Amino acid sequence: CILSTPERPANLACPSRSLAATCDKYNSALNPDGSRVAMFEDCYEMCKPSFCCIHDSKSVEYSPSCSSEPNCPLYFPCYIIWWKLHDTIGPANFLRVSQREPFYETVDFNYILTDLNLDIPFFQQLFGHHFDQEIDGDGNEPTNELLEDPANW
């Protein structure tokens, strides 16, 4: 892990040491309280800071890419979250997060919706990275209408 220093700044922090175990959907290990170690919501929370690693948006402010960050490769277990958040029925905003597997059994769609409303930087990353033009905050944010327009697919 690359720790940030004045000589070599790292804007993306080191991931948790438990990231791989938490995001491994085949990990059936249990915590002392009987809950699974590997759970979607825990993995999602650990991975959100690294979403900027997986795209090459030209946006500088709204949804900037951080794919050249030295710590990005350490977040490779997050692919399962990024894949699931792009598992849509049509446009990007038609998320489909439920799945009949133990890793996903506690996923509550309302949890994701609430989080997207509260964590504006992550919302901007998730939906804004699809657009190369700079989104300026003057009504150019990705709305449902913009995402659902077939011209933007």
Side-chain angles (χ1 to χ4, degrees), residues 36-153:
R36 287 175 49 94
V37 169
M39 294 300 294
F40 179 91
E41 287 180 8
D42 295 335
C43 179
Y44 169 82
E45 288 297 332
M46 290 177 167
C47 290
K48 286 192 314 179
S50 71
F51 187 85
C52 58
C53 293
I54 69 161
H55 66 79
D56 61 355
S57 170
K58 294 178 181 145
S59 172
V60 177
E61 293 182 24
Y62 193 83
S63 57
S65 174
C66 69
S67 61
S68 62
E69 281 289 317
N71 289 328
C72 277
L74 302 175
Y75 283 88
F76 74 89
C78 297
Y79 80 90
I80 194 163
I81 299 298
W82 310 144
W83 172 83
K84 184 47 89 175
L85 292 179
H86 286 86
D87 179 16
T88 62
I89 306 169
N93 58 331
F94 284 48
L95 299 174
R96 180 172 53 177
V97 294
S98 63
Q99 192 166 324
R100 291 185 184 171
E101 292 183 51
F103 181 75
Y104 302 97
E105 69 188 12
T106 62
V107 176
D108 177 4
F109 187 66
N110 288 321
Y111 170 83
I112 303 294
L113 287 178
T114 300
D115 185 65
L116 289 172
N117 283 310
L118 296 175
D119 190 341
I120 300 306
F122 182 65
F123 174 91
Q124 291 174 199
Q125 281 288 326
L126 182 61
F127 294 111
H129 82 278
H130 294 289
F131 304 96
D132 282 336
Q133 77 272 15
E134 191 60 51
I135 298 171
D136 58 20
D138 290 331
N140 293 325
E141 293 81 10
T143 61
N144 283 342
E145 292 76 23
L146 183 69
L147 293 167
E148 294 170 16
D149 182 351
N152 294 320
W153 296 352

